[in-house]
Amino acid sequence: MNKFLIQVTVTFFAVLLFFSSGFTQDSRDFPMQSQWEAFAVDEDRTPEYQAMLLLWIIPDEGLYTYAHDPGPAGFPTVLSIKEDPTERLEVFYPPGEMQPDPFDPSTSSEIYPEERPPIFIPIPADVSLQGTLTIELSLLLCSDRNCWPVHKELSFDLDGLDLGALDTAQEQDWWSKWQDAGPATQDPIPEMAFPSPDDMAVDDTRWDFEVRSLTPGLEVDTLARAALLAMIAGFILNFTPCVLPVISLKLRGMLSLEEGSGVDAQKRAFRKHNIFFALGMLIFFSVLAVVLSLTGMAWGQLFQSPGAILILGCIIFALSLSLFGLYDLPVIDLKSKTQDPWKNPSAEALSTGMLATFLATPCSGPFLGGVLAWTLTQPPIIIGIVLWSMGLGMALPYLLMAVFPFMLRFLPRPGPWTMYLEKILGFFLAATCVYLLSLIPEDMFVKALIMFLVIAFAAWMWGHWTDLTQSNLRRRSIRLSALVLVGLAAFMLFRPAPEHPVAWTPFEEQQFEEMLGRENILLEFTADWCPNCKFLEQTVLTPGFMAENAQRYNLRFVRIDLTQPNLPGEEMLRALDSQSIPLVAIFSRDNPESPLILRDMFTRGQIDRALEQELN
């Protein structure tokens, strides 16, 4: 077992080091490349052309672009000829692959998937090969979580073409794509019409901000740094108020292992208990990595709303009641003396490890904000490595105890005092509920206390109104009634109330310049093709949040919409040292030259902390 664990650890770090060198990204560069190629055309087979120019679009791994005519949900790839010395050139686009749109699966779009889509510019046979061709390339470069609007000017020197030295176009693998290609359509999506080439120039010096990050120590751009910070954060999570109560329950479970006979048996049970507890943590992180990779969800997003925090508080309160003997948990047994013939110590250790990891989620924001903001923009393998690093850090103390089971001798011997410890841990869980209640708005506090009271009554019904002498139908009816009571109370207490939203102010350069230094401003970047932007607007930047903070900080909410090409908005995005969205910037009235930014996904608690830091 010791040798196996050492091999797994060495392999993990070898993989980590292998990948760390390749996954870096400069926020000032687009995650793509473009490449010109020229070929001679066999005039006997295709007499109308003498040469073929190809512009290859080469996205980074895991990214894709939309086709020229993508359909109702996409954003077109457009190559506009700015300067044509021949005055005869035309652009042809290959068709994309029709598939459900990644951001709106209910519709289909033509997409250039993870390959090198070529754009064709055939040169007619009767034109002179002189001068420089200049084009403007506009496209949307997307991962499954965020997108980069790309506008690039490229040029090709026609004077340098030597047709006799070029390969023949008809003999290339891409020739079949050319045969399927078509010319530019007329206004493929009118509402997304691109600006004229003369308007595409971007003045990067217009805005000069000294950008600061809310989590500067966690700003990462390599896998090695992300994995190291994730491992450290995972270790620290063991001591947060969200996890420490469950870790204490784990200690209680280890104390009871000494009731077995024989030192060897105790060590085997001790090692097994730790392995399954650590395995529960690693399984949870593995499942979480798969879920985040497939759905684009963000770590901790379940706990971005007060309602979700309250749900977690209710679960913890119900767990604490079980430690006071009010009822027995059917799956996660937190008591040491439950008379249950189906009791399985390994399954309990596994489930308790998963529970501890689940509870760690709302406490992880201060440690992992910047790490996961970078990680969740990477390919699935990177997400898996970073989350596994976090799980390994959290499980590390228990893996060490599994490797060195002699540490069992340092634990106190069990006795009647462990029953008192069980009750103390019940109070510990209740204290965790108090901590979670401190995170919800004051107007929900009384409702939360009422909800806790209903849960306590339902737990009493579950545990003391039923016994094994009753029929299955009666026992299940009573327990079902307890659950219905909790559900009914939740519905009556927390029915959604109408909100009075504060309007977003559309971004206008002159108006924004006038507001700088005079008002506190929260600037948000959004787009219809940005699902994480819409998610943040529904869970964090809600109407209730806006109304509350508009009054508290005298705050103006300004929005830059990048759904269509928006050159002033793109200037501002670059001025804030970013190329991708979501992005939120907070401009203080007293320090407008140095905005505080929150990149990608963030929680309600993080933006509250940012506003308090900047505007108080």
Side-chain angles (χ1 to χ4, degrees), residues 253-268:
M254 288 189 289
L255 293 178
S256 64
L257 294 176
E258 291 210 17
E259 297 175 1
S261 60
V263 175
D264 291 339
Q266 293 173 7
K267 287 184 177 180
R268 285 195 299 271

Side-chain angles (χ1 to χ4, degrees), residues 166-406:
L166 298 179
D167 294 334
T168 303
Q170 285 91 338
E171 297 176 358
Q172 306 304 312
D173 293 338
W174 51 259
W175 184 253
S176 61
K177 293 184 179 180
W178 154 250
Q179 293 176 318
D180 294 333
T185 58
Q186 295 295 321
D187 298 327
I189 303 182
E191 64 272 17
M192 290 186 177
F194 283 82
S196 65
D198 293 337
D199 295 333
M200 294 291 290
V202 176
D203 182 6
D204 288 331
T205 63
R206 178 177 180 82
W207 306 101
D208 185 18
F209 297 120
E210 182 184 348
V211 178
R212 295 170 295 120
S213 172
L214 178 64
T215 54
L218 299 180
E219 289 284 326
V220 298
D221 58 3
T222 64
L223 174 59
R225 181 174 173 82
L228 178 61
L229 289 174
M231 185 176 297
I232 295 173
F235 179 79
I236 296 175
L237 286 177
N238 286 297
F239 308 100
T240 61
C242 301
V243 181
L244 194 56
V246 177
I247 301 303
S248 300
L249 292 169
K250 166 69 166 58
L251 174 62
R252 188 272 305 150
M254 288 189 289
L255 293 178
S256 64
L257 294 176
E258 291 210 17
E259 297 175 1
S261 60
V263 175
D264 291 339
Q266 293 173 7
K267 287 184 177 180
R268 285 195 299 271
F270 182 73
R271 173 185 285 131
K272 187 176 181 181
H273 196 77
N274 279 287
I275 288 175
F276 275 93
F277 188 75
L279 184 61
M281 292 179 170
L282 294 175
I283 288 176
F284 189 94
F285 276 105
S286 300
V287 173
L288 189 63
V290 173
V291 171
L292 296 183
S293 299
L294 295 179
T295 66
M297 295 171 63
W299 170 267
Q301 73 179 44
L302 293 177
F303 307 101
Q304 290 183 347
S305 69
I309 295 175
L310 180 59
I311 291 174
L312 179 62
C314 291
I315 294 174
I316 300 299
F317 182 66
L319 293 175
S320 70
L321 293 178
S322 73
L323 292 175
F324 293 109
L326 209 58
Y327 71 110
D328 294 333
L329 287 168
V331 177
I332 304 175
D333 188 1
L334 301 183
K335 300 194 299 300
S336 57
K337 296 297 183 181
T338 302
Q339 300 299 322
D340 187 349
W342 301 101
K343 188 172 181 178
N344 187 317
S346 298
E348 289 176 12
L350 184 73
S351 60
T352 308
M354 298 179 69
L355 174 65
T357 312
F358 172 73
L359 297 180
T361 310
C363 286
S364 61
F367 309 109
L368 294 166
V371 174
L372 291 171
W374 176 85
T375 301
L376 296 179
T377 64
Q378 305 305 313
I381 187 173
I382 303 303
I383 296 176
I385 291 174
V386 173
L387 289 183
W388 247 76
S389 298
M390 193 189 314
L392 187 61
M394 192 171 180
L396 187 59
Y398 318 105
L399 292 175
L400 289 176
M401 286 189 286
V403 174
F404 304 107
F406 66 85

Side-chain angles (χ1 to χ4, degrees), residues 29-74:
D29 296 332
F30 297 118
M32 63 161 286
Q33 298 178 8
S34 56
Q35 178 181 334
W36 286 105
E37 281 192 303
F39 297 86
V41 174
D42 185 346
E43 61 180 7
D44 293 334
R45 288 184 280 179
T46 313
E48 62 268 31
Y49 299 119
Q50 60 177 311
M52 182 74 71
L53 296 182
L54 271 71
L55 178 64
W56 293 96
I57 299 172
I58 311 172
D60 285 2
E61 183 180 358
L63 304 182
Y64 65 91
T65 61
Y66 287 94
H68 175 65
D69 190 358

Side-chain angles (χ1 to χ4, degrees), residues 114 123 128:
E114 299 178 17
I123 301 178
S128 176

Side-chain angles (χ1 to χ4, degrees), residues 38 57 67 101 118 141 144 153 174 193 206 233 288 323 328 348 447-448 546 549 553 581:
I57 299 172
D101 190 272
L141 190 68
D144 56 354
E153 181 176 298
W174 51 259
R206 178 177 180 82
L288 189 63
L323 292 175
D328 294 333
E348 289 176 12
K447 294 180 180 179
M546 293 171 61
N549 288 285
Y553 299 111
I581 58 176

Side-chain angles (χ1 to χ4, degrees), residues 474-489:
R474 178 178 176 81
R475 187 167 62 253
R476 291 174 181 174
S477 298
I478 293 174
R479 291 181 173 179
L480 179 61
S481 299
L483 295 176
V484 170
L485 177 63
V486 172
L488 183 61

